[in-house]
Amino acid sequence: MTPLDYEYLRKFLKERSGLLLSNDKQYLIESRLLPVARKAGLAAISDLVAKLKAPGAERLAVEVTEAMTTNESFFFRDKVPFDHFRDTMLPKAMALRAKERRLRIWCAAASTGQEPYSLAILLKEAADKLVGWRVEIIGTDLSNEVLEKARAGVYSQFEVQRGLPIQMLVKYFDQSGDIWQIKPEIRAMVQYRPLNLLTDFSSLGTFDIVFCRNVLIYFDQDTKIDVLKRIAKLTVPEGFLVLGAAETVVGLTDAFVPVPDKRGLYQPNTSGKPGLGSIGMPRLAAAAGARA
Amino acid sequence: MKTCLVVDDSSVIRKVARRIIEGFKFAVNEAEDGEKALDACRRQMPDAVLLDWNMPVMDGYEFLKHLRAMPGGASPKVVFCTTENDVAHIARALHAGANEYIMKPFDKEIVEAKFQEVGLI
Ligand SMILES: C[S@@+](CC[C@H](N)C(=O)[O-])C[C@H]1O[C@@H](n2cnc3c(N)ncnc32)[C@H](O)[C@@H]1O
């Protein structure tokens, strides 16, 4: 791969998926894209680049973009956000929607489904409180390949061992040998749709709770800000946004403010005052207090 | 320091498990079958037991039932770690009082996740 090939792919991926690659990630490109090249009957990355530049390469372009995504996920990842979901977000959202009895939840980078299914399991565990409610979980992702796996709900023994309490495995999965499939009634609680966060997603409607975890980390600053602002527009005023352990809105945008004492949890900034985004740390206490 | 009893008839597995669990700052004891494990529990009740199923003399399932009936035997967190990877075995183990279940093969991440799950670390 020539330096020019690398530059081309960097720009290509940034435009396609927002993926930000520093100038030393050649090995990552090689390891992810050589299999794609070989599958297309091409010997080297340079051939792949040439093909991408030629007209009519859309299918290859999609494959390249998907191959460069990192899809790692596991059930109840980081645990705490799911405790917050059960103990804080769900009760508050239910109080707010007591009249309509309707909740909408969005997993904006659903990957292979572990995150939306973890939420579905928690909802199932709270089923007695949700009688007569309509709860929608929408899982979206850029990659069609991961969505296919998510829809099937089929996981290896290794995948179900990480993060999933054994009682829940026994209760909510069907086993066939080394393969575990999430039960149809849980699968039916989640709808999957392909969606690139770089594109307009306003047609999804509004949400009470948005999980957008471990995807903003791949984007540059401006893309993060843009996506967060557009998510804020779809989040109801008293709704919640959950980010990944290495992500924050602080220093990026005023659209959300952190929920005090709940790490990783944010709410739309309805105070009319500037939040932390544009200013930074010193105003943290004041802005957080305003939302409490 | 918390204590963990590793019960497995394979010395290799015991060694691997010991290394992992010592990494979580536990003092680790070993036993090679259920009966020796019960003796160890009578001497000192551990905080955690990592338990194989198939062993000579007394298997893990029998051990667990005896343990839970012993004075003080309700307190240890028992995590099965076995190649018996089917739902029927898992359900039996839970019914007998197991707290968690690891399906072999296992690695450090899985043991860590399960120990966290039951509040040991
Ligand atoms: C590491 S996974 C996160 C999965 C899950 N949210 C979690 O935290 O475990 C990141 C996912 O983001 C998806 N992704 C990357 N860029 C995207 C984009 N521009 N639009 C939508 N999804 C994207 C990838 O396909 C991948 O499945």
Side-chain angles (χ1 to χ4, degrees):
Chain A
M1 175 177 26
T2 66
L4 275 178
D5 289 337
Y6 186 65
E7 271 320 302
Y8 177 85
L9 285 169
R10 258 175 79 172
K11 191 155 166 280
F12 172 90
L13 291 163
K14 170 93 187 359
E15 275 166 18
R16 282 268 170 173
S17 68
L19 178 65
L20 184 68
L21 288 176
S22 51
N23 49 23
D24 59 349
K25 290 286 191 297
Q26 285 83 353
Y27 70 93
L28 190 68
I29 296 261
E30 299 265 352
S31 69
R32 299 271 182 89
L33 295 188
L34 264 181
V36 177
R38 301 250 157 84
K39 215 182 105 203
L42 304 163
I45 300 291
S46 296
D47 304 323
L48 188 73
V49 169
K51 189 102 186 207
L52 282 175
K53 287 178 179 167
E58 184 52 30
R59 241 186 71 196
L60 190 64
V62 168
E63 271 183 51
V64 165
T65 310
E66 292 199 7
M68 287 305 297
T69 58
T70 299
N71 311 116
E72 194 192 39
S73 189
F74 27 97
F75 291 98
F76 297 99
R77 181 176 196 168
D78 301 335
K79 197 163 183 295
V80 174
F82 295 93
D83 293 342
H84 288 335
F85 175 78
R86 188 192 53 211
D87 303 333
T88 305
M89 292 182 257
L90 189 59
K92 287 211 170 149
M94 284 177 68
L96 209 70
R97 300 256 164 250
K99 252 208 201 115
E100 307 99 297
R101 296 187 159 229
R102 193 175 166 206
L103 283 180
R104 297 191 81 229
I105 301 165
W106 178 25
C107 287
S111 190
T112 38
Q114 286 92 331
E115 183 174 278
Y117 287 141
S118 298
L119 297 175
I121 286 173
L122 291 179
L123 289 169
K124 200 72 174 178
E125 296 269 297
D128 51 341
K129 290 184 221 128
L130 284 163
V131 178
W133 282 71
R134 216 179 109 208
V135 185
E136 269 180 277
I137 306 174
I138 318 253
T140 63
D141 200 283
L142 167 90
S143 161
N144 287 291
E145 199 180 324
V146 294
L147 289 178
E148 235 167 80
K149 177 167 161 143
R151 285 191 192 100
V154 169
Y155 301 95
S156 69
Q157 181 173 298
F158 176 79
E159 289 169 312
V160 295
Q161 294 234 67
R162 274 177 94 181
L164 196 65
I166 195 71
Q167 286 85 356
M168 292 194 177
L169 179 68
V170 173
K171 208 161 151 191
Y172 296 115
F173 286 76
D174 294 315
Q175 181 185 26
S176 105
D178 279 355
I179 296 298
W180 297 78
Q181 183 172 34
I182 196 143
K183 283 192 190 287
E185 73 249 35
I186 304 290
R187 253 184 294 154
M189 294 169 74
V190 185
Q191 290 173 49
Y192 292 101
R193 294 183 207 164
L195 175 82
N196 187 342
L197 288 170
L198 302 191
T199 64
D200 178 23
F201 46 70
S202 55
S203 64
L204 286 177
T206 58
F207 292 95
D208 301 286
I209 296 168
V210 179
F211 274 65
C212 182
R213 302 199 312 147
N214 303 301
V215 63
L216 295 180
I217 34 168
Y218 299 107
F219 300 161
D220 70 5
Q221 189 102 339
D222 290 344
T223 312
K224 285 181 198 176
I225 293 170
D226 171 55
V227 173
L228 282 167
K229 279 188 178 157
R230 288 186 294 120
I231 292 177
K233 287 194 187 135
L234 299 195
T235 311
V236 302
E238 301 288 321
F240 293 94
L241 167 71
V242 187
L243 296 180
E247 296 160 333
T248 180
V249 305
V250 177
L252 290 176
T253 171
D254 288 340
F256 287 100
V257 289
V259 177
D261 304 324
K262 302 269 191 286
R263 210 166 53 95
L265 221 63
Y266 303 85
Q267 289 198 293
N269 181 3
T270 50
S271 69
K273 295 181 207 137
L276 313 167
S278 49
I279 300 140
M281 304 309 256
R283 309 245 335 228
L284 188 112
R291 285 291 318 153
Chain B
M1 203 182 219
K2 284 187 180 165
T3 55
C4 180
L5 181 63
V6 172
V7 191
D8 201 303
D9 57 339
S10 153
S11 62
V12 176
I13 299 269
R14 291 201 305 270
K15 207 162 137 189
V16 171
R18 167 189 283 276
R19 210 171 298 149
I20 291 173
I21 294 166
E22 281 178 347
F24 309 147
K25 305 263 178 307
F26 277 69
V28 174
N29 274 317
E30 297 176 23
E32 63 192 52
D33 63 57
E35 212 164 274
K36 293 211 170 75
L38 280 178
D39 288 341
C41 290
R42 275 185 210 107
R43 284 194 299 275
Q44 190 207 4
M45 200 54 84
D47 298 295
V49 181
L50 190 79
L51 184 62
D52 188 18
W53 194 299
N54 290 312
M55 290 176 292
V57 189
M58 182 190 286
D59 71 19
Y61 181 72
E62 283 303 312
F63 160 81
L64 178 58
K65 287 197 293 185
H66 281 95
L67 172 74
R68 289 311 192 206
M70 265 167 76
S75 65
K77 303 286 188 197
V78 175
V79 179
F80 260 102
C81 185
T82 167
T83 49
E84 299 298 340
N85 292 348
D86 56 287
V87 159
H89 273 88
I90 298 174
R92 271 176 77 202
L94 291 176
H95 188 72
N99 300 89
E100 258 299 344
Y101 205 99
I102 295 170
M103 299 176 268
K104 283 176 184 167
F106 65 105
D107 62 12
K108 177 176 170 280
E109 273 68 43
I110 288 171
V111 181
E112 189 167 12
K114 294 301 186 186
F115 271 42
Q116 274 167 0
E117 186 58 44
V118 299
L120 282 165
I121 49 180

